[in-house]
Amino acid sequence: MRRNERGNNRKKKALEMARFDKKFVRYLCFGVLTLLVILLCVVVFYHISKFVKHQQFLADVDKSLEQSAHDATSSRQENTIEEKQETDTTFTMTAIGDVMCHNTQYFDAYQKEMDEYDFSYVFEDINRYIKTSDIAIGSLETSFAGKERGYSNYPTFNSPDALAYNLKKLGIDVLSTAGNHCLDMGFDGLSRTIDVLNDADISHLGTYQSQEGRDKILFKYVKGIKIAFINYTYGTNGIPVPSDKPFCVNLIDKDLIKKDIESAKAQNADLIVSCMHWGTEYKTSANPEQKELADFLFQNGVDIILGNHPHVLEPMEKRTVTLEDGSTKDGFVIYALGNFICDQNAENTRNSIILNLKITKHIDGKISIDHANYIPIYMYKKSTSELRKMKLLDIEKSIYDYETALNNSIEPSIPKSLYDTLKIQLEKIKKIVGPEF
């Protein structure tokens, strides 16, 4: 019995030991598994942390590279600005003579089927010389007083508005309007002329609608260079300037001129251009008054003088101007540019030039007038009854085309009589204006 109990006890203990072994193995496995999981988490966390740090490092590197690139770009831009500031600036200025409009001209430009005027055909042979210039200036010798006032011829000019818009299309940027015909249609005509030029987007000077307008200097900017324009006339053909509107036209008056020059200087003009309506009609040389006024203008700060009114060309010259302080500067004057367009028949009234000046502002602020050349032109009028018979001809090109056609046994586009005339006009122009430089 006792033996059976001891056997049972041993079996019981064996079962308990087996249960304990199973639990121990289970707990051991769980512990090992838990440890492995913990180790795995640690490894994963370590790699994640390392990856994040690497990405942050890459981001910092990218940021650093971007900043370096930005700094390099900024440095290049600053250097470019400095280089620009330290570089001479050169531009071209083109000038033409008096824009006249006789009745034969607006008769020729009239398009009956549309009841309108178009002068653009007149400029077809020469427009490229003006359009390619950096700035182009002309002199207006008529008014735009309106159709209702009646278009009129000499001695009191009133022309179709279309002429202004055709001049803009040609490439004219500035028109001087202080001339002996500016009051042909009274102050109302003068004022409407200004309105038309404004609408055509042509800058103008010399005549004004108010004192405030007169006191403002016209500035034009070309390649960053600030150019001041001033304009005066010797008179208004005996038509009185309205006593209550003395501001409406600039008459030649040294005190007024000096005041305007000082105003331009005070506003930091780089270059001052004076458009002068002066001289003796039909004389191809400057009179003593023109020469004395030119000296006065140069001494007071004008750099370029563009003369008009005589209806014929007068000489051009470049000067070295010595100022009161002993310093020197370049000066240029052409005493008269002749007629740009017209229908006059007196000698030399149909030949003219398109003047081109090459001007440089140097890094020290000094202005040099480097080169002056010109395109000889001729106001041609066919002796026929057809319309559109008036045309500005490029003299040298017309001569060249004629001679080339003959050399190739081709019928020339112009008659020999015109060829002979152009040869004569070319020699006259060169003799009057003088050599290019």
Side-chain angles (χ1 to χ4, degrees), residues 105-120:
Q105 291 172 262
Y106 57 76
F107 293 158
D108 195 54
Y110 182 61
Q111 297 178 304
K112 185 176 181 180
E113 64 278 5
M114 291 179 282
D115 189 26
E116 62 184 28
Y117 296 84
D118 179 12
F119 298 85
S120 60

Side-chain angles (χ1 to χ4, degrees), residues 72-92:
T73 301
S74 299
S75 177
R76 284 196 300 271
Q77 288 175 342
E78 289 172 5
N79 290 336
T80 300
I81 291 170
E82 289 177 5
E83 286 172 6
K84 285 182 179 179
Q85 291 173 342
E86 295 178 0
T87 301
D88 295 345
T89 302
T90 299
F91 69 97
T92 55

Side-chain angles (χ1 to χ4, degrees), residues 100-152:
M100 303 193 73
C101 190
H102 294 90
N103 57 0
T104 47
Q105 291 172 262
Y106 57 76
F107 293 158
D108 195 54
Y110 182 61
Q111 297 178 304
K112 185 176 181 180
E113 64 278 5
M114 291 179 282
D115 189 26
E116 62 184 28
Y117 296 84
D118 179 12
F119 298 85
S120 60
Y121 64 95
V122 178
F123 312 122
E124 288 173 351
D125 273 14
I126 57 88
N127 57 18
R128 63 188 180 281
Y129 299 119
I130 296 174
K131 286 182 177 180
T132 55
S133 180
D134 291 315
I135 186 167
I137 305 105
S139 167
L140 186 67
E141 271 275 65
T142 187
S143 60
F144 302 117
K147 183 178 180 179
E148 63 280 1
R149 296 286 299 271
Y151 300 135
S152 56

